[in-house]
Amino acid sequence: MTSATAVLVTGADGFIGRALCTALAASGRQVKRAVRAAPAAPPGTVAVGELGPDTDWGAALEAT
């Protein structure tokens, strides 16, 4: 797969987000997980804080 298949999932630690990340990874997609807080975040997870108009998506959108 190419880097164009990478997917950023917000709410990745929620009920739907966890299932979506698992399904995307199983289909061969590169998954980057965005969560509000990540005290012990696994690789590929980035904490973005509270979501809103001032959310800084820079770290979440950087290539892995």
Side-chain angles (χ1 to χ4, degrees):
M1 299 247 136
T2 65
S3 61
T5 62
V7 177
L8 173 66
V9 177
T10 61
D13 58 352
F15 179 75
I16 294 172
R18 283 191 303 268
L20 179 59
C21 289
T22 300
L24 288 168
S27 72
R29 304 274 178 141
Q30 180 182 357
V31 179
K32 191 141 192 194
R33 296 160 175 85
V35 297
R36 289 185 185 168
T45 303
V46 62
V48 295
E50 292 295 319
L51 301 183
D54 297 325
T55 300
D56 180 6
W57 292 101
L61 296 173
E62 287 180 7
T64 56

